[in-house]
């Protein structure tokens, strides 16, 4: 399968999938409070997605047991919702989720602070989010995919953070994961050329310390090797005639 170009009617469905996901993220942000379990967040997301008349795309994906990946502090991505795991003051909490609207997928992640967090964590969260916006400045027809990757790396590297290499962004559409893969670290090759109608999930995962990660015994949760915090920020975007449109924006960013 190669990179798909979405038609006008497909783009309308991608837009709606993204818009609803932005609204979902706004509601989930309210749940990032001390004492809330990661399962509470997942169940709320499932309820909201069903209320939209949509389906969660993560639930059951390769057997993933939730609609939201909730990853706290040193957890990078793919944290499994649990009724025994509670959010605490000072945590940074990444919520990664998506939905399917009329057969079309959206995917977005936010990292939220619970109460007062350390300045180091706050900077990490801010830089991770900004790295997405730096990357998408290059997301326009005529540019190449790896211009996005390199723009993210150029922005992040001076902070001395570790850029996760094992996991990457991806094309998205009638499937959650489509071609191409979208690395967040420096690339030697140019990657595919960008054309209007491509829909992409750009998702930098940035660590306070080492870039190295490992998988917990649950086979899902990815954590940093040094135990330092990690942040994640993601949106589904559309390449337009003259740039790009962010499909999954929420009012809280
Ligand atoms: N947003 C992630 C991704 O893009 C999460 C998908 S993993 C899942 O790959 F299993 F939870 F769906
Ligand atoms: Co994704």
């Amino acid at each position: 399968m190669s990179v798909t170009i979405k038609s006008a009617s497909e783009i309308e469905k991608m837009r709606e999938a993204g818009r609803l996901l932005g609204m979902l993220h706004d509601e989930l942000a309210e749940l990032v409070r001390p004492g809330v379990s990661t399962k509470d967040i997942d169940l709320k997301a499932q309820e909201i997605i069903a209320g939209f008349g949509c389906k969660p795309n993560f639930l059951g994906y390769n057997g993933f047991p939730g609609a939201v990946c909730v990853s706290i502090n040193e957890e990078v991505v793919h944290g499994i919702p649990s009724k025994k795991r509670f959010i605490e003051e000072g945590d940074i909490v990444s919520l990664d989720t998506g939905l399917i609207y009329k057969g079309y997928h959206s995917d977005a992640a936010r990292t939220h602070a619970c109460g007062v967090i350390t300045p180091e964590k706050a900077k990490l969260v801010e830089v991770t989010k900004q790295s997405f916006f730096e990357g998408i400045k290059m997301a326009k027809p005529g540019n190449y995919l790896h211009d996005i990757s390199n723009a993210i790396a150029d922005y992040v590297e001076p902070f001395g953070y570790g850029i996760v290499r094992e996991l990457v962004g991806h094309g998205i559409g009638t499937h959650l994961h489509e071609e191409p893969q979208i690395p967040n670290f420096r690339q030697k090759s140019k990657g595919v050329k960008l054309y209007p109608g491509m829909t992409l999930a750009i998702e930098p995962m940035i660590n306070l310390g080492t870039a190295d990660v490992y998988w917990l015994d649950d086979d899902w949760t990815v954590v940093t090797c040094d135990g330092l915090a990690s942040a994640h920020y993601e949106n589904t975007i559309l390449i337009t005639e003259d740039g790009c449109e962010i499909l999954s924006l929420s009012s809280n960013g």
Side-chain angles (χ1 to χ4, degrees):
M1 201 172 98
S2 55
V3 183
T4 56
I5 303 292
K6 274 72 181 179
S7 68
S9 70
E10 289 182 291
I11 287 169
E12 279 318 305
K13 288 173 209 149
M14 291 295 294
R15 264 200 192 103
E16 185 60 8
R19 190 183 72 84
L20 293 169
L21 181 55
M23 288 168 54
L24 172 62
H25 265 297
D26 280 336
E27 292 205 44
L28 296 183
E30 305 294 317
L31 291 179
V32 177
R33 300 189 306 262
V36 173
S37 82
T38 59
K39 187 77 181 172
D40 292 334
I41 295 176
D42 180 53
L43 293 176
K44 183 70 180 176
Q46 294 196 31
E47 188 186 306
I48 295 168
I49 293 168
F52 290 155
C54 294
K55 293 255 180 300
N57 46 7
F58 291 13
L59 186 63
Y61 183 87
N62 288 337
F64 188 78
V68 187
C69 300
V70 187
S71 310
I72 304 177
N73 297 330
E74 76 283 1
E75 296 169 353
V76 180
V77 285
H78 301 169
I80 298 176
S82 161
K83 57 182 191 309
K84 294 186 194 138
R85 182 80 190 275
F86 300 96
I87 295 170
E88 294 172 17
E89 173 84 18
D91 284 345
I92 57 170
V93 182
S94 142
L95 303 181
D96 184 2
T97 186
L99 56 81
I100 311 171
Y101 171 78
K102 295 190 178 169
Y104 287 80
H105 291 246
S106 55
D107 183 5
R110 306 283 182 262
T111 299
H112 300 290
C114 177
V116 179
I117 58 172
T118 63
E120 289 77 16
K121 281 181 172 174
K123 186 80 189 166
L124 174 71
V125 170
E126 179 202 315
V127 169
T128 302
K129 179 174 176 180
Q130 187 58 30
S131 74
F132 164 87
F133 288 95
E134 296 298 326
I136 66 162
K137 286 179 185 169
M138 303 306 285
K140 55 178 169 216
N143 278 358
Y144 291 84
L145 186 73
H146 294 167
D147 294 331
I148 301 175
S149 309
N150 292 338
I152 293 171
D154 282 343
Y155 177 71
V156 170
E157 280 170 2
F159 293 96
Y161 295 147
I163 302 177
V164 175
R165 305 170 77 92
E166 283 86 345
L167 298 131
V168 295
H170 49 92
I172 181 167
T174 53
H175 297 83
L176 172 59
H177 293 141
E178 297 186 356
E179 283 188 42
Q181 294 199 11
I182 311 174
N184 299 299
F185 51 96
R186 194 170 304 286
Q187 301 296 304
K188 292 205 175 80
S189 61
K190 296 207 286 192
V192 297
K193 201 168 184 176
L194 299 174
Y195 290 95
M198 288 181 171
T199 44
L200 308 171
I202 313 284
E203 51 177 321
M205 289 152 267
I206 311 294
N207 300 345
L208 205 45
T210 181
D212 296 337
V213 299
Y214 68 98
W215 271 252
L216 293 185
D217 287 341
D218 64 18
D219 284 340
W220 276 106
T221 317
V222 180
V223 298
T224 59
C225 286
D226 59 10
L228 294 180
S230 180
H232 184 201
Y233 186 84
E234 175 180 24
N235 278 307
T236 299
I237 69 163
L238 164 72
I239 305 294
T240 60
E241 293 298 329
D242 57 359
C244 75
E245 183 181 326
I246 305 172
L247 303 182
S248 53
L249 271 188
S250 28
S251 54
N252 63 9

